[in-house]
Amino acid sequence: MAIHFLQSKAAKTLSLAFVFRMTETQAEEAFRKIRWSETEGEPVCPECGGVEPYQYRRPSGLLRFRCKACGKNFSITSGTLFASHKAPIRAYLAAIAAFMNEVKGKNALALSRDLGMSHKACWIMLHKVREAMAEEFKARKIGGQDKTAEVDGAYFGGYVKPANFREHRRDRRLAENQTGKRKSVIIVRERNGNSLPAVFKSESAALSWIKSKINRGTIVNADEAAGWDALGSKYEMRRINHQEAYSDGEACTNMAESYFSRLRRGEMGHFHHVSGPYLLRYAQEASWREDARRVDNGAQARRVTQLALGRGPSVDFSGYYQRHIHQAQTAA
Ligand SMILES: [Zn+2]
């Protein structure tokens, strides 16, 4: 029998141990080659495109450049998701490696123990990695002629604790007994292809988004919830009654189910307060991991680093210290 992919050598190419054997200069080299791939790692001024900067180090050891053409100061991460980094570059590489190697997701507390950094710094770093992953979904469309996709939804977040005594119990399905934070995660997933998640108040609120993301000509599998009926106006549908079976040979939503079980495991085991503005990021992380589950860890880490260094500064964390301090302290 073939060895499980996760035990194979290819899956272990970017281990934490490997990153920890790197010097800071080697880590910088790795970042430079990913950010400035066209010049094989030679720095390019983000302001004017000049390629002949002076290179110097701050007293703290952080590597800086000064453009000879326009005089702008910049670092390896200026203008990227990791802009104005405080930690050594090696810590970012280690965070990404640890994050990718942990199949079920990595939480910030565990990472802070691994790296000897503060919980808050690690929490922000991991959310920036998720923000990098989110780049992948921006222009994504699912399906097409003769392709098959699955659609499903499930509720996450805003957990209402059940009361201990039966007479105190409330019907947690009723709107008045919910926290208002409970949201529906919708997944559209192409068979033998990619997936795309989104967060809505309810499944029915997702219909126009689904229609805009699944290409015409796709055969769409969904369960028998009445909310999906409206999709029949655009797609050929296959419906499955989950009370009877998860697959009847014709219709099946097993791929969507396996996505939700991954997200559910993340919710239970790692990020205890999956709610609010970060639910979409966790949903995107689970989707990214599902799609990349056969890609080796080293390639996954390179891809995420590429996404982080190939885009502008964080949107989620702009003005972070002013606005999000409370959430940072209460989220896991
Ligand atoms: Zn310049």
Side-chain angles (χ1 to χ4, degrees):
M1 202 180 126
I3 58 164
H4 191 279
F5 176 77
L6 290 174
Q7 266 97 55
S8 72
K9 198 178 166 206
K12 294 173 179 160
T13 47
L14 200 89
S15 65
L16 259 186
F18 179 78
V19 174
F20 279 133
R21 278 198 298 272
M22 288 173 133
T23 62
E24 178 65 3
T25 314
Q26 287 169 327
E28 287 166 352
E29 195 69 28
F31 248 49
R32 287 164 64 151
K33 285 198 167 134
I34 292 170
R35 174 164 190 193
W36 293 301
S37 53
E38 311 80 29
T39 54
E40 287 176 17
E42 290 308 313
V44 179
C45 172
E47 189 69 29
C48 72
V51 289
E52 285 198 325
Y54 300 104
Q55 186 173 315
Y56 63 100
R57 282 189 191 273
R58 288 247 177 94
S60 65
L62 290 182
L63 179 64
R64 303 284 300 180
F65 305 100
R66 184 181 172 82
C67 179
K68 280 183 189 170
C70 75
K72 185 181 166 72
N73 289 297
F74 61 98
S75 76
I76 300 178
T77 61
S78 290
T80 75
L81 191 57
F82 296 137
S84 42
H85 68 277
K86 306 279 189 300
I89 293 297
R90 216 160 58 112
Y92 287 84
L93 268 187
I96 293 171
F99 188 72
M100 298 329 303
N101 290 351
E102 204 76 50
V103 190
K104 290 174 185 165
K106 183 86 183 169
N107 82 20
L109 279 174
L111 186 67
S112 77
R113 286 191 294 267
D114 289 351
L115 301 186
M117 288 172 64
S118 78
H119 171 237
K120 196 167 72 184
C122 290
W123 187 85
I124 295 173
M125 209 146 63
L126 288 187
H127 264 299
K128 285 186 174 174
V129 174
R130 292 186 186 99
E131 199 178 341
M133 289 174 155
E135 285 297 299
E136 210 97 84
F137 300 102
K138 279 185 177 165
R140 179 168 289 175
K141 296 275 185 140
I142 298 293
Q145 202 61 45
D146 301 324
K147 300 257 173 72
T148 302
E150 299 177 9
V151 172
D152 205 0
Y155 281 91
F156 284 84
Y159 180 69
V160 179
K161 204 177 169 208
N164 192 21
F165 296 104
R166 183 180 290 275
E167 59 270 30
H168 295 154
R169 282 184 198 160
R170 299 163 297 170
D171 186 341
R172 288 180 289 156
R173 290 166 302 184
L174 296 178
E176 66 264 30
N177 289 334
Q178 290 186 1
T179 59
K181 285 183 183 166
R182 204 149 175 76
K183 294 276 165 60
S184 183
V185 173
I186 305 293
I187 188 77
V188 295
R189 188 165 188 184
E190 186 176 320
R191 297 252 176 91
N192 308 313
N194 287 322
S195 61
L196 184 61
V199 174
F200 290 91
K201 276 195 170 139
S202 64
E203 292 180 358
S204 55
L207 289 172
S208 59
W209 175 83
I210 294 170
K211 286 182 180 172
S212 73
K213 295 299 181 183
I214 302 183
N215 292 316
R216 204 173 280 282
T218 309
I219 296 168
V220 175
N221 287 252
D223 63 30
E224 290 206 317
W228 306 129
D229 289 352
L231 295 174
S233 65
K234 184 168 178 183
Y235 309 105
E236 185 182 334
M237 301 289 293
R238 301 264 193 279
R239 308 296 288 272
I240 176 90
N241 184 346
H242 278 170
Q243 259 145 28
E244 288 167 15
Y246 279 95
S247 168
D248 61 8
E250 280 274 306
C252 118
T253 54
N254 285 350
M255 298 284 286
E257 300 293 332
S258 90
Y259 167 78
F260 283 123
S261 66
R262 179 185 289 270
L263 186 56
R264 203 62 83 185
R265 279 197 307 271
E267 181 187 48
M268 306 300 273
H270 292 274
F271 6 94
H272 305 287
H273 303 279
V274 175
S275 68
Y278 301 107
L279 177 57
L280 176 63
R281 294 289 183 245
Y282 290 119
Q284 287 167 328
E285 177 193 343
S287 184
W288 203 97
R289 287 182 188 277
E290 274 294 293
D291 294 349
R293 69 198 183 285
R294 297 269 171 255
V295 177
D296 74 74
N297 291 17
Q300 288 185 19
R302 277 193 302 279
R303 180 69 188 142
V304 167
T305 311
Q306 215 171 17
L307 289 167
L309 297 179
R311 50 154 285 160
S314 173
V315 175
D316 291 359
F317 293 96
S318 52
Y320 171 81
Y321 286 99
Q322 291 74 43
R323 294 186 289 106
H324 287 297
I325 217 81
H326 177 69
Q327 275 158 318
Q329 284 162 349
T330 53

